[in-house]
Amino acid sequence: MTFNFDEVIDRRHSDSLKWNKYDQNILPMWVADTDFRSPPCITEALQRRVAHGVFGYGDWPHALADTAIDHFWRSYGWRVEKEWLVFLPGIVSGLNLCVRSFAGGGSLAPDPIYPPFRKAAMLAGCSQLNAPVIQRDGRPYLDLASLEPQLTGREKLLMLCNPQNPGGTVWHREELEQHLAFAQRHDMIVCSDEIHCELLLEPSARHIPFATLGEDAAQRSITLVSPSKTYNIAGLGASLAIIPNPELRRRFCATREGIVPSVDVLALTAAEAAWRDGEPWRAELLNVLRANRDALCRAINALPGLSVTPPEATYLAWVDASALGEESPVNFFRRAGLGFSPGADFGNPAFVRINFGCTRATLDEAINRLNQALKER
């Protein structure tokens, strides 16, 4: 089956957060959802569920649990037990629950990082130390060791993002083992956000779930996963926390009680269909995203004042605009009709994040506007 990733779908009048942020003169290429129609297997599953006509309270989703367990085994050789699974209406709620359940006197997170990592600490009234992601031997490196002089011994939560958002780095096994050694040395629980793990653009890249590093890693970890980014179903909200340690799982669920609701029945239906039947669509999606990534990165690296390291995963480009000399790069691009994510939200105002999960026509127009904006400076 061939899927149409060139179809232009008008999202401006569909309650779309992405497309309603700006007026029609600005291309929205910011928040991490794509402009592609979700795979037919999801739409068909939802239509069957809607035809049932009753949408009462949902029970524990045994069918989704079985599908997810099979998916983790086929994809990563990871044997996940049913009792480890906690279903959530979104990854962000999982990040917040981890901070409130396990941070103790503080948390650690990368810098730059997906904004809810920072916000979760702020909302919980919890301190957070940020480990810089630096270039070393031509590859991004999470410099956890630089934080050791600042540790008080009260920090109990290490927050990771694999693949990294922003930046798209897929952490190698030896890098993850360094993260694990740090957590062991300082007796920390590890929250690993792995929501982009199915969006690997480099054919040689392999996603390694943190919890598969060994029994100690499993017992000190909470892994957050979802099909939402891959299959463009974030608005339905179905995610998983995988928590092998029963005491950590008990604490996590106790914090959740009465605050974070269960997942609605349509979201469960969509997630099950995605992981059960969505692989042919995902394979074509990755080809589209690779081509988009390559075209965008070539264009950016040919422009004065801009540079980007092609992401190994995700559909998000982390673009260095520091050489532009603009006080606010995101405002500069907005004046050129381009709505990017501000780097300040991730920890570095000299950058912007560009979502290339769009049709090639949209991407080509964005590249034209980038060229024109730099030409007219």
Side-chain angles (χ1 to χ4, degrees):
M1 180 181 292
T2 299
F3 305 98
N4 184 6
F5 290 95
D6 293 320
E7 180 185 11
V8 177
I9 301 170
D10 184 2
R11 301 185 63 198
R12 289 194 183 275
H13 307 290
S14 63
D15 298 320
S16 167
L17 175 69
K18 180 180 182 180
W19 282 83
N20 287 354
K21 182 178 176 68
Y22 302 109
D23 65 38
Q24 62 184 1
N25 297 315
I26 295 178
L27 283 180
M29 304 179 75
W30 63 290
V31 71
D33 74 8
T34 68
D35 293 329
F36 307 124
R37 192 183 299 277
S38 293
C41 63
I42 293 178
T43 304
E44 291 162 6
L46 288 170
Q47 288 171 337
R48 289 193 296 271
R49 182 63 182 85
V50 168
H52 181 267
V54 179
F55 310 105
Y57 293 115
D59 196 3
W60 201 83
H62 292 276
L64 174 55
D66 289 339
T67 299
I69 288 168
D70 180 62
H71 170 73
F72 301 138
W73 173 245
R74 285 185 292 104
S75 300
Y76 314 113
W78 184 14
R79 292 192 182 277
V80 171
E81 302 295 335
K82 267 191 180 181
E83 60 266 25
W84 300 356
L85 304 181
V86 180
F87 293 91
L88 299 168
I91 293 289
V92 171
S93 61
L95 294 172
N96 281 269
L97 289 172
C98 282
V99 170
R100 296 179 188 217
S101 301
F102 308 118
S107 64
L108 278 63
D111 180 21
I113 192 59
Y114 178 52
F117 277 64
R118 298 172 180 272
K119 195 169 183 180
M122 181 191 71
L123 291 172
C126 171
S127 66
Q128 186 175 91
L129 296 174
N130 295 111
V133 177
I134 60 176
Q135 289 290 324
R136 193 172 79 173
D137 299 326
R139 178 172 171 80
Y141 169 76
L142 180 58
D143 187 12
L144 287 168
S146 66
L147 296 183
E148 292 195 278
Q150 304 174 55
L151 296 179
T152 66
R154 296 183 294 110
E155 298 86 2
K156 295 301 178 185
L157 181 66
L158 173 59
M159 304 180 77
L160 298 178
C161 194
N162 183 29
Q164 174 75 3
N165 176 17
T169 303
V170 180
W171 299 117
H172 294 168
R173 177 174 294 276
E174 58 269 25
E175 293 166 335
L176 291 172
E177 287 173 344
Q178 291 169 8
H179 300 161
L180 173 59
F182 184 93
Q184 291 170 330
R185 195 158 61 246
H186 299 287
D187 191 26
M188 290 183 173
I189 305 303
V190 177
C191 169
S192 185
D193 171 4
E194 302 182 9
I195 193 172
H196 288 103
C197 65
E198 297 177 271
L199 292 166
L200 305 191
L201 305 184
E202 283 300 316
S204 62
R206 294 291 180 269
H207 176 71
I208 301 170
F210 180 86
T212 64
L213 294 179
E215 185 60 20
D216 182 83
Q219 292 302 315
R220 68 171 69 244
S221 67
I222 297 91
T223 304
L224 302 175
V225 290
S226 174
S228 62
K229 298 297 184 187
T230 303
Y231 296 97
N232 206 23
I233 52 175
L236 288 169
S239 302
L240 274 172
I242 305 174
I243 314 176
N245 185 308
E247 174 57 21
L248 297 186
R249 192 164 63 248
R250 184 197 64 77
R251 288 164 60 185
F252 185 91
C253 291
T255 304
R256 176 223 187 113
E257 190 69 26
I259 299 174
V260 177
S262 58
V263 183
D264 78 67
V265 292
L266 294 183
L268 297 172
T269 298
E272 180 189 345
W275 276 336
R276 187 187 61 227
D277 301 319
E279 180 56 28
W281 184 92
R282 186 184 76 97
E284 287 198 28
L285 169 71
L286 292 181
N287 289 331
V288 171
L289 294 179
R290 287 185 188 110
N292 281 4
R293 175 199 63 177
D294 293 347
L296 178 63
C297 291
R298 277 196 307 269
I300 287 172
N301 285 326
L303 290 170
L306 299 180
S307 64
V308 61
T309 299
E312 297 175 322
T314 79
Y315 45 80
L316 307 164
W318 183 236
V319 179
D320 185 350
S322 57
L324 278 183
E326 294 284 340
E327 182 178 351
S328 174
V330 74
N331 287 340
F332 169 77
F333 291 119
R334 190 178 297 126
R335 292 192 295 270
L338 294 162
F340 300 151
S341 293
D345 290 353
F346 300 81
N348 193 330
F351 281 69
V352 294
R353 193 189 72 172
I354 302 177
N355 178 345
F356 55 86
C358 57
T359 66
R360 190 54 181 265
T362 297
L363 185 70
D364 288 344
E365 177 59 24
I367 290 171
N368 287 337
R369 294 186 189 191
L370 275 171
N371 282 309
Q372 193 64 29
L374 273 296
K375 184 178 179 180
E376 294 176 353
R377 288 187 79 234

